[in-house]
Amino acid sequence: APKLALSVEEPSGPVGLEGEAVYQIRLQNRGTASAKDVEVVVYFANNLEPISAAGGHYKLGAGQVLFDPLAVLAPGQDATFQVKAKAGAAGNHVFRVEVHSAATGARLVREGTTRFYAADAPVDPPALAQPAHRDAARSADEVRTADRRDAVAPQGESRSSDGTQR
């Protein structure tokens, strides 16, 4: 059977608002059979927008990148994707990578937070010690991380891995 493994390399420290955050996504098939129709989707919370991607054909949408499904990922094979994003405001911004394989029913998720700062303002420590009310914090991010893959096509741009528009 196929056995998918997902790893995400995120920025190692805070990123300035003038810079870009780079996310490296690696998907491996550690199983003994091929994984078929594997989808990779990257979601971003408010104030963080993807600006480019590499590793396959993709579509950019509001707060998300949808890569074209991998028809087959053979045993021992891996696929690497890269997404660059830019923040519109300083603070902690959430990203989420989801991998779906309808053929096997596999669903993998990795989520993290990237800290962005303004170069001309002092960096406040992250507000992790006192979390906001769960419902208020969840409502803003859930809208962005909801599975909106169907909404990407009419809104997004289709690009190849070299960045040219399709």
Side-chain angles (χ1 to χ4, degrees):
K3 181 175 179 171
L4 296 176
L6 171 65
S7 62
V8 179
E9 183 180 322
E10 58 189 276
S12 60
V15 177
L17 285 178
E18 69 284 350
E20 300 172 347
V22 178
Y23 302 91
Q24 292 285 109
I25 301 155
R26 184 171 182 212
L27 183 61
Q28 298 174 293
N29 183 354
R30 296 180 180 168
T32 58
S34 294
K36 297 179 181 172
D37 299 320
V38 180
E39 294 180 335
V40 177
V41 184
V42 183
Y43 298 101
F44 295 98
N46 290 328
N47 292 317
L48 185 57
E49 292 295 331
I51 56 173
S52 68
H57 287 94
Y58 64 91
K59 295 175 184 152
L60 289 178
Q64 64 183 351
V65 177
L66 172 64
F67 288 93
D68 287 353
L70 298 171
V72 175
L73 190 62
Q77 190 176 34
D78 64 337
T80 304
F81 305 91
Q82 182 184 75
V83 176
K84 292 182 181 179
K86 200 162 181 63
N92 293 324
H93 301 299
V94 176
F95 67 90
R96 179 181 178 103
V97 179
E98 293 187 13
V99 174
H100 304 269
S101 177
T104 63
R107 180 176 175 204
L108 304 172
V109 177
R110 295 291 178 270
E111 190 171 277
T113 303
T114 304
R115 176 83 174 154
F116 288 86
Y117 64 92
D120 58 353
V123 177
D124 293 330
L128 299 177
Q130 298 175 346
H133 186 284
R134 181 161 169 72
D135 292 334
R138 196 169 20 144
S139 64
D141 287 333
E142 279 182 342
V143 172
R144 294 295 294 254
T145 60
D147 189 358
R148 299 182 300 164
R149 287 175 281 160
D150 294 334
V152 172
Q155 296 173 351
E157 300 175 10
S158 178
R159 296 183 183 263
S160 65
S161 61
D162 65 0
T164 57
Q165 191 165 356
R166 289 183 15 195

